Amino acid sequence: MSHIEIQIPNIGDFKEAEVIDCLVKIGDTIQVNQSILTVKCDKVNIEIPSSHAGIVTELKVNIGSKIVLGMPIMVLELKNTTTLDAVSLPNNLSTSFESSVVNNLVQSDVSHKFHASPSVRKFAREFGIKLHQVIGSGPKNRILHKDVQMLLDVKSLNYQNFSNSQIKCHDMHKDTPLNQLSTQPIDLNKFGNSSLRSLSRIKKISGNHLHQSWSNIPHVTQFNEIDVTDLEEFRKCSNQEYVIAQKSIKLTMLIFVIKAIVYALQKFPELNSELDAACENIILKHFYNIGFAVDTPHGLYVPVIKDVDKKSLSQIAVEVYGLSTKAYKSKLQSIDIRGGTFTISSLGGIGGTAFTPIINAPEVAILGISKLMIKPVWNGKNFLPRSILPVSLAYDHRVIDGALGARFVVYLSSLLNDLRKLLL
Ligand code: CAO
């Protein structure tokens, strides 16, 4: 049985480096590229991966050990399958191994300590999650199993296939963490007082996805103003009866838009699709799961109402109420936020005339709703006060042409303008 000594590889030109976590113990079976040590170099945490697979028979460093290039870390009893091609001497590192060290280095975040147990690290590795992407919820930001699971859920629910399709097509911004956006830090004290406030956990996760979507998808936004005077009258009357029956549940404009959008998606199925991994086909979805953005003190959530085509306005109202209540209480399950085919973001309850929403990839379009206003509308003889609802449809121009986007909005507007059309 052959043994090999694993040594500290070249991790850059650091003034000092210290072992802050030992991720393996004697007797552990480890794989090539598995993280074995966390070292701190000039305030940056770096994980040192193993260049070989085998069983740990001896550890030569402890927490607190100062390390230098070429220093022995541990002795491995090599697995039969392990080749000695990549001898672990620093000058002889295999390209892939060296690049994995460099990757760890690049992905390290000065402000983030990646504390996590070996099993959590393994779990993250198995799913291709880098620890710098995960926000730890344990003591001292320790990354727990559930934190990795949460990121996996968020990735698969809203951005399933995103890394396969959008990123492959454009080969850019691979899970770029938010902090990579910033340029050289500026000494703000030169200009005045400032203070730090950390982003919420949800903001950090969703921010990363929003950034990818915004920078990878060619967005076009189509605006319209919909005359919803009749609908508004109907809504107010129905609401009086409905609110009494359903206690605090309201029939807001959002409920009607959720219902109407499904009819528009059925007429224009390209808007209920996603691009395949090769960006060569669109996958048309024959189910209508509508996500809606919910603003909470912890950040933005997008719960999904399933099979909206089979649900009545009252059922949709009950689900909007139930899911947004769960979001406010941070009680959403992964099933509640999975499987959306189209998203609506309503800022109508707050105000503003119009906005350009960001597509919730891998979906190909999103509808923004702004605050209804009373506007004078010319009927050929007179100006009449009408209730006007501003909407904005952002769509992926690779999938949807401008003419299609405009037709979709016009059709949706006609449905909301005269709800009887839903019966046709
Ligand atoms: N125009 C005018 N008034 C509107 C309106 C519109 N388009 N939409 C809603 N309103 C009114 C409602 O009728 C309600 O009025 P009353 O209190 O008099 O009954 C009030 O605004 C509040 O409505 P609501 O927000 O409670 O209900 P909703 O169904 O419209 O929306 C929810 C529910 C959960 C989507 C919403 O509360 C929310 O979180 N919106 C923010 C979404 C968001 O942040 N989007 C941006 C994402 S990108 O950062």
Side-chain angles (χ1 to χ4, degrees), residues 106-122:
V106 170
Q107 285 161 359
S108 294
D109 170 2
V110 286
S111 63
H112 205 126
K113 297 185 177 68
F114 309 128
H115 297 308
S117 69
S119 72
V120 170
R121 287 170 191 277
K122 181 164 178 278

Side-chain angles (χ1 to χ4, degrees), residues 259-407:
K259 187 69 191 167
I261 205 95
V262 169
Y263 287 81
L265 292 172
Q266 285 168 334
K267 189 167 170 73
F268 300 99
E270 294 89 342
L271 282 99
N272 202 49
S273 74
E274 69 181 64
L275 270 172
D276 73 358
C279 289
E280 284 182 356
N281 305 288
I282 56 169
I283 304 162
L284 298 163
K285 298 170 194 169
H286 306 296
F287 52 94
Y288 303 91
N289 295 344
I290 309 298
F292 62 102
V294 182
D295 171 46
T296 78
H298 333 284
L300 179 70
Y301 288 93
V302 185
V304 175
I305 306 180
K306 310 285 178 346
D307 300 320
V308 172
D309 53 319
K310 302 187 180 81
K311 289 180 179 159
S312 66
L313 287 166
S314 324
Q315 284 172 314
I316 296 168
V318 170
E319 288 206 29
V320 166
Y321 177 80
L323 289 166
S324 45
T325 307
K326 270 175 138 183
Y328 297 134
K329 296 181 178 169
S330 293
K331 291 263 165 68
L332 287 169
Q333 311 280 309
S334 45
I335 188 71
D336 296 327
I337 43 180
R338 271 179 199 278
T341 60
F342 186 96
T343 299
I344 298 177
S345 174
S346 175
L347 292 173
I350 301 169
T353 49
F355 66 105
T356 54
I358 297 179
I359 296 168
N360 189 7
E363 295 167 18
V364 293
I366 180 169
L367 187 81
I369 307 174
S370 296
K371 191 175 174 65
L372 189 145
M373 52 193 136
I374 308 294
K375 279 191 162 183
V377 176
W378 182 249
N379 72 350
K381 287 184 189 158
N382 303 302
F383 280 105
L384 297 175
R386 306 290 289 177
S387 300
I388 304 296
L389 183 71
V391 295
S392 39
L393 176 82
Y395 56 85
D396 183 338
H397 208 349
R398 294 171 302 171
V399 178
I400 298 155
D401 291 333
L404 177 59
R407 282 192 192 103

Side-chain angles (χ1 to χ4, degrees), residues 45-102:
N45 293 345
I46 299 170
E47 286 184 13
I48 307 280
S50 175
S51 54
H52 289 72
I55 299 167
V56 181
T57 56
E58 196 181 339
L59 280 170
K60 301 204 166 203
V61 289
N62 299 310
I63 293 176
S65 301
K66 302 278 186 248
I67 56 145
V68 289
L69 177 72
M71 183 174 156
I73 303 173
M74 62 184 186
V75 177
L76 275 190
E77 182 184 302
L78 291 175
K79 279 184 167 179
N80 290 340
T81 51
T82 310
T83 65
L84 286 174
D85 292 349
V87 179
S88 61
L89 288 170
N91 293 336
N92 231 350
L93 290 167
S94 70
T95 313
S96 64
F97 174 62
E98 193 161 39
S99 66
S100 86
V101 176
V102 172

